[in-house]
Amino acid sequence: MSKTTPRTVDVARPVTADKGAWMDLWAQYNAFYGRKGETALPQVVVDTTWRRILDPESSVDGLIASVSGKLVGLAHVAFHDNLIQLQQTCYMQDLFTAPDARGLGVARALIDGVAQLCRSRRVSDVYWHTQAENTVALRLYDQICRDTNFVVYRMSVK
């Protein structure tokens, strides 16, 4: 995708017809984080994620971004109760831009779309995590939000 011509980034909620293109982007996103081949997500997880994103009753929601009709980005969020404020909060669990569309403003457009989802639900904040070495993403995040200086830990409880 040429970066010399300014492109409009269109952001919308996905629909059933977007599944194939979404699955391709979702696989790229997961591969970026090492979930591929032997460590790929089970198909049942992928299918359930897609169903949750489309389900208006789910606490999970999603957005897709396209440029010139081609799907180039995705964002997935989960709305949940919060113990330090009365209103819910929004966790942006996934944000991804296809490599050939990076630098076109896709991630910023998706974050703006997530902010609009939050406003429509009267949710006043959104938070997310990224890996410390994801320097390209960090440059954008440092421009538009504040670093909370928290470290994330995860424990398996099988």
Side-chain angles (χ1 to χ4, degrees), residues 2-148:
S2 171
K3 292 180 178 56
T4 58
T5 306
R7 307 280 182 146
T8 301
V9 179
D10 297 307
V11 174
R13 284 191 164 116
V15 296
T16 303
D18 296 317
K19 185 176 182 180
W22 174 87
M23 298 241 337
D24 179 56
L25 271 182
W26 183 234
Q28 290 179 57
Y29 169 79
N30 282 293
F32 179 82
Y33 284 108
R35 295 182 294 262
K36 61 184 176 181
E38 293 288 316
T39 60
L41 294 177
Q43 192 60 44
V44 66
V45 172
V46 174
D47 292 340
T48 300
T49 298
W50 178 247
R51 278 195 306 278
R52 287 176 177 163
I53 291 167
L54 294 184
D55 181 356
E57 300 300 315
S58 175
S59 62
V60 172
D61 208 338
L63 295 171
I64 54 172
S66 54
V67 173
S68 301
K70 179 184 177 192
L71 190 65
V72 295
L74 57 79
H76 303 142
V77 298
F79 292 93
H80 63 88
D81 291 335
N82 189 317
L83 302 177
I84 61 170
Q85 62 192 33
L86 296 177
Q87 70 271 30
Q88 287 194 322
T89 191
C90 176
Y91 172 48
M92 183 168 59
Q93 185 165 342
D94 310 310
L95 177 65
F96 181 72
T97 300
D100 66 341
R102 293 187 182 148
L104 299 177
V106 174
R108 186 181 292 267
L110 284 164
I111 292 169
D112 288 347
V114 167
Q116 183 55 42
L117 279 178
C118 289
R119 285 190 287 276
S120 73
R121 293 175 71 133
R122 294 192 170 103
V123 170
S124 62
D125 67 339
V126 59
Y127 68 98
W128 62 92
H129 309 118
T130 195
Q131 291 180 329
E133 61 272 2
N134 192 348
T135 57
V136 174
L138 291 172
R139 275 196 305 272
L140 171 62
Y141 303 160
D142 287 343
Q143 293 173 27
I144 61 175
C145 57
R146 64 182 164 76
D147 180 349
T148 61

